[in-house]
Amino acid sequence: MSKEGVIADVGRAAEAVSADEEAANPLHQIESLCMRCRENGTTRLLLTQIPHFREVVLMAFECPHCGEKNNEVQFAGQLQPHGCVYTLNVPEDALEVLNRQVVKSDSASIKVPELDFEVPPEAQRGTLSTVEGVLLRAADELQALQEERRKIDPKTAEALDHFLVNLNLCATGKKPFTFIVDDPAGNSFIENPFAPSPDPLLSVNFYNRTSEQQEALGFLPDNEQVAAEKSMDQTSPTSKERIRYVPAGTRREPHGSVGALAAHRAIAQGNSDEVAAALFKYSTPEEVMNFPATCGACAAKCETRMFVTNIPYFKEVIIMASTCDFCGYRNSEVKPGGSIPEKGKKITACILNKEDLSRDVIKSDSARVIVPELDLELAPGTLGGLVTTVEGLITTISENLKRVHGFSIGDSADEWKRAKWQDFDRRLRKILEVEEPWTLTLDDALANSFIAPTTEVIEEDNQLKFEEYERSFEQNEEFGLNDMDTSSADMAYN
């Protein structure tokens, strides 16, 4: 096939993928090279959407000459704001857990710690399968060259035979294990049959990508992040010895560094104009500082604007906004000012009427969102940081739940799962119409979240309740506060 023909076919494929979303996406066929026999086969492309989850491109290749077949899933949507780690505990003889559907993107790795087993991203392309299917496929691929391996390296082949026995025991439910999907792009997923309620067997953690992960995904890393990671690596040998495993990340960090980053993490990211409009109503900045920076998308020189403002009854915050005139990239964030509070804070708002839906809300990365009337609880890190209203927060939660838990809503879902989601959606619309009073709680261990009052004096707002509490040892450990030493800084200020 000529080079011009390949370019033309790729162009036609791009046109098919970028077709109008409202029109029916046709099946597109491309003549492509078979990597086994070097003859031309056929690749079929279909742009489709997993209901309320992601847009994906389904690709299937078939060669009529040698019978070679291959299929994979690639994501057509955007890179997610955070990476994600799904951890599923699979008990013994739990066949229903093995049948849970799994979406694995090209950038995701799969781990089974009990077997010291890891499938790197390059070993398996994007797939739509089940827990059992992923393990059996890995076993088949390892078994494929065993006979040749026995002739060259009998010891390795014997060790691999023993490993394959254990892997097959896990895949058939005869041995308990932990199934972990770690995706820096945030585009992987494991089905939760109990959604929107928490799954006792499944935990989801979100994390900020490292500069190496950002670069591996094809994006330029942030220069400030690279500098921070380099300074972090240049620690003393004593601190390097104290290493702990962070489930929400993909690499080991010096003990305490996670908390230092979490303390200064942005509590809101979004459109610069929207953030400014939401916060200018509280106070006008005394001074806007401009300083040169580098665009995180194209590495061109740009300008960052920063000012400090105060939100009444909350705290001092730092607002930063960057715009790149070269590529159009925009970024804004709101960072908490001052020191880390000694206590966590729980804010509870009683929503009685539609006016309460207009209350301003600042939700940080470290906040837990609870709505008892919906039996809904979101773990810290879910949705990232937001500057919005009560109505906007609930709407965002609804959209993200439907997108992430699409398997429980789509055509392939069991009837009882679909009925459960329809009931949840009905209750969600009910609270947005405020047909009955309901409660919104933000539980923030770092006290970086806020719900605005509707009265001039916050003490007169009887629908708001603030409760401070002592953080547990585990919470301090998660934010790296147990080993944080600020004595040198205190001496410098004194």
Side-chain angles (χ1 to χ4, degrees), residues 393-420:
L393 177 62
I394 297 300
T395 302
T396 302
I397 291 173
S398 173
E399 292 173 352
N400 279 268
L401 283 174
K402 289 179 180 178
R403 174 176 57 83
V404 173
H405 297 292
F407 289 122
S408 301
I409 309 173
D411 297 336
S412 62
D414 295 331
E415 186 60 35
W416 68 271
K417 291 182 182 179
R418 191 182 299 111
K420 182 179 179 180

Side-chain angles (χ1 to χ4, degrees), residues 23-288:
N25 295 311
L27 181 67
H28 201 76
Q29 298 189 24
I30 298 177
E31 187 179 0
S32 51
L33 180 67
C34 176
M35 303 307 295
R36 171 173 289 186
C37 68
R38 299 296 173 176
E39 297 289 340
N40 282 344
T42 302
T43 297
R44 294 175 177 83
L45 298 176
L46 177 65
L47 176 65
T48 186
Q49 182 176 13
I50 298 176
H52 308 291
F53 177 55
R54 300 273 197 279
E55 273 194 338
V56 296
V57 179
L58 303 179
M59 296 187 292
F61 172 79
E62 185 174 0
C63 177
H65 303 282
C66 66
E68 172 72 6
K69 293 183 179 181
N70 184 31
N71 61 78
E72 59 183 88
V73 178
Q74 288 192 357
F75 291 91
Q78 62 182 356
L79 188 72
Q80 301 305 307
H82 298 88
C84 64
V85 178
Y86 285 82
T87 303
L88 178 65
N89 295 313
V90 183
E92 188 175 354
D93 296 326
L95 298 181
E96 67 283 356
V97 180
L98 291 172
N99 287 329
R100 291 196 187 189
Q101 299 184 77
V102 176
V103 175
K104 176 196 173 298
S105 75
D106 287 343
S107 58
S109 61
I110 295 175
K111 304 173 185 177
V112 181
E114 290 81 0
L115 300 181
D116 197 18
F117 175 59
E118 179 176 353
V119 181
E122 61 273 10
Q124 285 189 10
R125 302 298 299 273
T127 57
L128 173 60
S129 184
T130 62
V131 175
E132 179 186 13
V134 170
L135 297 183
L136 290 178
R137 178 180 176 182
D140 291 341
E141 292 176 351
L142 290 173
Q143 183 69 42
L145 300 176
Q146 270 296 79
E147 296 304 323
E148 290 81 356
R149 198 176 286 115
R150 294 185 205 282
K151 300 174 184 178
I152 301 174
D153 191 351
K155 290 185 178 180
T156 302
E158 183 180 354
L160 192 56
D161 283 335
H162 178 70
F163 171 79
L164 286 172
V165 170
N166 290 325
L167 185 60
N168 282 298
L169 288 175
C170 291
T172 54
K174 298 178 181 178
K175 185 176 181 179
F177 65 97
T178 306
F179 186 81
I180 301 175
V181 178
D182 187 346
D183 187 4
N187 281 326
S188 295
F189 173 73
I190 295 180
E191 179 186 8
N192 174 12
F194 302 97
S197 301
D199 185 346
L201 299 177
L202 179 66
S203 63
V204 185
N205 292 313
F206 299 92
Y207 59 89
N208 293 322
R209 284 180 284 271
T210 63
S211 58
E212 291 85 356
Q213 291 170 334
Q214 194 85 352
E215 193 171 358
L217 292 172
F219 292 83
L220 290 173
D222 185 0
N223 290 340
E224 293 184 3
Q225 183 182 7
V226 174
E229 291 176 0
K230 285 183 179 179
S231 63
M232 189 184 302
D233 292 336
Q234 295 173 356
T235 53
S236 62
T238 306
S239 63
K240 283 187 176 181
E241 293 174 359
R242 297 185 298 174
I243 300 294
R244 68 183 179 120
Y245 175 67
V246 182
T250 55
R251 70 183 193 126
R252 294 172 179 249
E253 303 280 1
H255 190 72
S257 64
V258 175
L261 293 175
H264 300 283
R265 188 181 300 155
I267 64 172
Q269 291 183 346
N271 183 283
S272 305
D273 298 333
E274 293 177 359
V275 173
L279 295 178
F280 272 148
K281 70 166 88 174
Y282 295 110
S283 62
T284 304
E286 297 294 334
E287 179 185 5
V288 177

Side-chain angles (χ1 to χ4, degrees), residues 350-383:
C350 183
I351 310 301
L352 301 179
N353 50 57
K354 288 193 175 182
E355 292 182 359
D356 291 326
L357 296 178
S358 301
R359 289 176 182 263
D360 293 315
V361 173
I362 297 178
K363 175 203 166 297
S364 77
D365 272 348
S366 56
R368 186 185 305 273
V369 181
I370 304 170
V371 182
E373 288 77 7
L374 289 177
D375 296 325
L376 176 67
E377 181 175 336
L378 298 186
T382 308
L383 303 180

